[in-house]
Amino acid sequence: MGGRGAVADIDGGSTAAASRREPAPRKRADARRNEATLLDAAAAAFVASGVDVPVREIAARAGVGVGTIYRHFPTRADLIVAVYRHQVEACAEAGPALLATVGTPHAALAQWIDLFVDFLVTKHGLAEALQSDNAAFQTLHTYFLDRLVPVCAQLLEAAAVAGEIRTDLSAVELMRGVGNLCIGAADPRYDARRMVEILIAGLGVR
């Protein structure tokens, strides 16, 4: 009886403590969402106006005050690195989600590559901005490869197992090929996305 009472006390205490602590996780989740919104706005501003875009323009896109940005990211380099990592994570998380929800693995691969192209368009500008700190850039590049190569490999393998694409292409080869096609994407006479779509369509088994 005393033992059952002790268990009840532990459960009740845990529930009460969890109830008292409940608002904190919500705040943390809100903070994460707010930071993601800010980083998405910064990425869009970087694409539209370059990495030297005024902070006030980023703040306006995000719907926050300039002080909020400086509170989270004291320097422009801090913001650039955060945008880079945020976009890598979004691209990495999208791969398994697309495999689980899109009709075929080849279609999932095509949609993921489209997201990868969005990332690369931003990444070229970020890479140029970070070249002055080569060690930081190399660290981010390694992080980029470690996170995204396995995701691309998973998508390629799923499409190959389904018999939808050829099997003699590695993830690194595909990502490098897409990256090369995205060079010069700022030229209005060149449609990088269309060239990438042709590449992905060409992977199909005939």
Side-chain angles (χ1 to χ4, degrees):
M1 183 127 173
R4 281 177 15 219
V7 171
D9 287 343
I10 291 170
D11 291 343
S14 298
T15 302
S19 178
R20 287 194 300 271
R21 291 194 303 267
E22 191 175 350
R26 281 206 300 267
K27 287 182 181 177
R28 287 196 293 271
D30 287 345
R32 287 195 297 272
R33 283 193 295 271
N34 291 340
E35 183 171 308
T37 297
L38 194 160
L39 293 174
D40 286 337
F46 288 160
V47 171
S49 307
V51 293
D52 293 324
V53 59
V55 173
R56 64 179 178 276
E57 183 176 325
I58 298 172
R61 283 176 178 268
V64 301
V66 171
T68 298
I69 294 181
Y70 283 121
R71 246 190 336 269
H72 287 282
F73 311 106
T75 70
R76 186 172 295 269
D78 292 331
L79 179 59
I80 289 171
V81 168
V83 168
Y84 190 107
R85 294 180 68 90
H86 173 64
Q87 291 202 307
V88 168
E89 286 304 313
C91 204
E93 292 169 4
L98 287 170
L99 271 179
T101 58
V102 176
T104 68
H106 191 190
L109 173 65
Q111 289 192 32
W112 186 81
I113 289 294
D114 197 48
L115 295 174
F116 183 55
V117 169
D118 288 338
F119 166 71
L120 290 176
V121 170
T122 307
K123 176 179 176 290
H124 285 309
L126 302 186
E128 290 175 10
L130 291 170
Q131 285 295 347
S132 58
D133 186 350
N134 194 55
F137 175 71
Q138 287 301 324
T139 298
L140 282 177
H141 186 64
T142 299
Y143 165 72
F144 155 76
L145 292 175
D146 288 347
R147 289 293 284 131
L148 297 189
V149 169
V151 175
C152 185
Q154 180 186 17
L155 288 158
L156 278 173
E157 182 180 6
V161 168
E164 297 178 314
I165 65 169
R166 55 194 298 168
T167 60
D168 59 346
L169 185 69
S170 72
V172 171
E173 287 175 317
L174 178 58
M175 291 170 64
R176 183 177 291 276
V178 171
N180 287 338
L181 287 174
C182 288
I183 295 174
D187 187 339
R189 299 167 299 177
Y190 175 66
D191 189 345
R193 197 175 298 277
R194 177 174 176 273
M195 297 306 297
V196 172
E197 288 174 356
I198 292 171
L199 170 65
I200 299 305
L203 293 178
V205 176
R206 291 178 176 77

